[in-house]
């Protein structure tokens, strides 16, 4: 569901010029817009802070690539024609330490998986994933906040929804009870102990509870509340997809994209400030312009998952909905054309995300806003890098 591919042409467009952004509606920082920011003024905002240790916070337009069209994609190649930003290989020292700690947590603290699943856990490469997505994390402790949550979210997906015993039947009850590990039950003294005992009853609930406890210690109350809200969104998306599976409904393309706006990566980039050791204030996070930017980024990263997991899903039992499959069935085109159109959808979402992020940074150049926007953009890039290079999980169709 979230990370698909389990039983997880306007190609080549460059980032548009962000100079000359104007605002005329009420400004996202609380005042009125209207000022047109061009040239060096906008460059200073999008360029972010300067000095030692601030290189990763630069929001200036980054070098973009559209993956070339090869004779046939090789393992580790990007999706041909995909609009993306290459990133450096994640710091190997941090990767090794995060990988060691997350496996120790998974085995010793929450008993996340049986021994026979160890190769799958290792192949997921959680350490590389989170280090690539959070290069501005102050240290490994901060990275572990995100890594535990990612491991827990995918345990819920595996056990409840997909290959390790998951089913759409009865999913709502399982998800709601697991959600109480994130959003605690407030009940009577008589029934509280039963709920407490339930939190240790299966791997997903153990993982959710432990990961959330660690997150709460690193986050402010508003950041924790934000995360709980985004996890409720995610679970709602799971339930929509499960309902369609039970009724064998193939959604229209817009319906599928609506489902994926909920069943997507949003809980991950939305905690970029917690992992970075700072806070985007709640009133700025809640502004409609910021909510739109976060949604666009999350939607683009989720289509990346659809594209890279496409062949794995086709090889799995049953029907797996993804954007190319829905386009093919609902728009009456072949598999190749549907896949290439899904690439176009991703590219459109990415360009819109970048344009809206630049406009928001210009309209509201508060340091925390600029840093948060940059953090979300880096998460998008790191997410693509992990999908592209994780050849244990993913391979591309031979459509070129």
């Amino acid at each position: 569901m979230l990370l698909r591919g389990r039983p997880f042409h306007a190609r080549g467009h460059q980032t548009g010029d962000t100079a000359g952004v104007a605002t005329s509606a009420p400004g996202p920082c609380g005042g009125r817009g209207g000022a047109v920011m061009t040239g060096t003024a906008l460059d200073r905002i999008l360029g972010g802070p300067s000095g030692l240790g601030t290189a990763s916070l630069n929001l200036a337009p980054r070098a973009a690539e559209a993956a070339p069209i090869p004779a046939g994609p090789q393992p580790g190649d990007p999706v041909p024609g995909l609009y993306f930003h290459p990133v450096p290989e994640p710091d190997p020292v941090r990767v090794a330490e995060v990988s060691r700690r997350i496996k120790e947590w998974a085995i010793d603290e929450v008993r996340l998986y049986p021994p026979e699943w160890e190769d799958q856990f290792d192949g997921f490469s959680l350490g590389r994933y989170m280090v690539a997505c959070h290069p501005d994390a102050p240290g490994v402790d901060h990275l572990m906040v995100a890594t535990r949550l990612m491991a827990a979210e995918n345990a819920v997906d595996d056990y409840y929804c997909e290959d390790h015993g998951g089913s759409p039947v009865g999913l709502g009850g399982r998800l709601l009870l697991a959600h109480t590990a994130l959003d605690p039950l407030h009940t009577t003294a008589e029934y509280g102990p039963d709920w407490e005992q339930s939190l240790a009853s299966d791997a997903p609930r153990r993982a959710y509870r432990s990961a959330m406890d660690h997150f709460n210690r690193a986050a402010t109350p508003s950041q924790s509340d934000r995360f709980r809200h985004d996890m409720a969104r995610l679970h709602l998306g799971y339930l929509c997809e499960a309902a369609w599976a039970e009724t064998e409904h193939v959604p229209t393309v817009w319906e599928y994209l609506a489902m994926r706006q909920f069943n997507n990566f949003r809980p991950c980039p939305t905690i970029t400030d917690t992992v970075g050791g700072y806070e985007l204030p709640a009133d700025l996070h809640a502004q409609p312009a910021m909510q739109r930017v976060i949604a666009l980024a999350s939607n683009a990263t989720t289509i990346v998952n659809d594209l890279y997991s496409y062949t794995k899903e086709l090889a799995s039992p049953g029907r797996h909905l993804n954007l190319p499959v829905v386009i093919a069935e609902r728009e009456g085109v072949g598999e190749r054309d549907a896949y290439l159109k899904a690439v176009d959808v991703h590219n459109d979402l990415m360009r819109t995300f970048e344009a809206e992020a630049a406009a928001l940074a210009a309209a509201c150049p508060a340091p925390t806003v600029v840093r948060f926007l940059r953090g979300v953009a880096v998460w998008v890039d790191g997410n693509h890098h992990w999908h592209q290079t994780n050849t244990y999980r993913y391979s591309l169709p031979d459509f070129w």
Side-chain angles (χ1 to χ4, degrees):
M1 291 214 176
L2 170 63
L3 272 169
R4 307 177 73 89
R6 297 189 297 278
F8 181 165
H9 281 278
R11 295 191 280 285
H13 287 253
Q14 301 297 308
T15 306
D17 183 5
T18 56
V21 175
T23 58
S24 57
C29 282
R32 298 294 300 182
V36 178
M37 306 196 70
T38 61
T40 57
L42 183 56
D43 291 341
R44 282 198 304 273
I45 294 169
L46 299 184
S50 60
L52 185 63
T54 61
S56 68
L57 308 184
N58 188 340
L59 196 64
R62 298 154 288 150
E65 291 186 5
I69 309 300
Q74 301 301 309
D77 282 350
V79 171
L82 195 76
Y83 175 64
F84 72 100
H85 301 280
V87 300
E89 186 62 23
D91 178 355
V93 175
R94 283 192 166 191
V95 169
E97 180 61 12
V98 172
S99 299
R100 182 191 69 79
R101 290 196 196 183
I102 192 60
K103 193 166 184 178
E104 184 178 84
W105 175 80
I107 294 172
D108 298 336
E109 187 170 339
V110 298
R111 307 187 309 282
L112 190 60
Y113 60 87
E116 59 267 27
W117 297 358
E118 183 174 0
D119 61 333
Q120 296 177 51
F121 186 84
D122 292 342
F124 200 92
S125 301
L126 273 167
R128 286 187 71 252
Y129 196 176
M130 293 298 95
V131 175
C133 288
H134 296 285
D136 72 332
V140 171
D141 288 343
H142 285 79
L143 285 165
M144 286 301 300
V145 168
T147 311
R148 290 187 201 93
L149 290 172
M150 175 63 83
E153 289 156 26
N154 281 279
V156 169
D157 197 0
D158 278 344
Y159 283 96
Y160 288 178
C161 305
E162 299 208 13
D163 28 328
H164 293 305
S167 168
V169 179
L171 179 60
R174 296 192 297 276
L175 281 179
L176 186 144
L177 296 179
H179 194 84
T180 68
L182 308 173
D183 198 347
L185 176 64
H186 301 279
T187 188
T188 65
E190 179 181 0
Y191 297 109
D194 292 338
W195 166 70
E196 286 279 355
Q197 186 176 3
S198 78
L199 297 179
S201 62
D202 66 6
R205 278 185 265 192
R206 290 193 299 270
Y208 262 2
R209 185 185 197 185
S210 174
M212 193 66 188
D213 285 347
H214 284 284
F215 181 77
N216 284 336
R217 289 196 286 271
T220 67
S222 66
Q223 288 173 320
S224 293
D225 191 61
R226 178 205 307 172
F227 177 75
R228 284 190 293 268
H229 186 90
D230 281 344
M231 289 300 293
R233 283 183 165 121
L234 175 65
H235 293 159
L236 182 61
Y238 284 3
L239 292 174
C240 177
E241 188 171 22
W244 288 343
E246 285 196 275
T247 59
E248 299 184 346
H249 172 67
V250 177
T252 64
V253 176
W254 80 261
E255 288 173 333
Y256 177 81
L257 292 172
M259 182 273 290
R260 285 301 253 167
Q261 181 164 308
F262 289 81
N263 177 6
N264 75 6
F265 287 104
R266 185 181 179 121
C268 305
T270 199
I271 65 169
T272 187
D273 54 340
T274 305
V275 181
Y278 67 100
E279 181 179 16
L280 176 69
D283 58 337
L284 295 179
H285 176 266
Q287 289 292 333
M290 181 64 76
Q291 290 293 300
R292 176 167 166 76
V293 165
I294 295 169
L296 287 164
S298 303
N299 292 348
T301 61
T302 304
I303 302 308
V304 161
N305 184 252
D306 277 14
L307 294 168
Y308 280 97
S309 67
Y310 176 76
T311 58
K312 194 169 185 179
E313 291 192 339
L314 289 183
S316 300
R319 167 180 282 182
H320 293 260
L321 291 182
N322 58 50
L323 184 57
V325 166
V326 172
I327 290 173
E329 181 144 345
R330 282 302 204 158
E331 299 190 353
V333 299
E335 291 181 355
R336 178 183 183 275
D337 288 342
Y339 191 93
L340 297 181
K341 184 167 184 181
V343 173
D344 290 343
V345 171
H346 166 271
N347 293 350
D348 287 347
L349 287 169
M350 273 288 290
R351 289 192 294 272
T352 306
F353 155 63
E354 292 184 341
E356 297 279 347
L360 178 54
C364 186
T368 53
V369 169
V370 174
R371 183 173 182 183
F372 185 84
L373 291 170
R374 176 58 180 161
V376 171
V378 169
W379 201 97
V380 169
D381 297 343
N383 176 72
H384 173 265
H385 179 78
W386 178 82
H387 279 86
Q388 174 195 335
T389 58
N390 194 329
T391 55
Y392 175 87
R393 292 174 60 85
Y394 303 121
S395 61
L396 299 181
D398 191 7
F399 286 153
W400 297 275

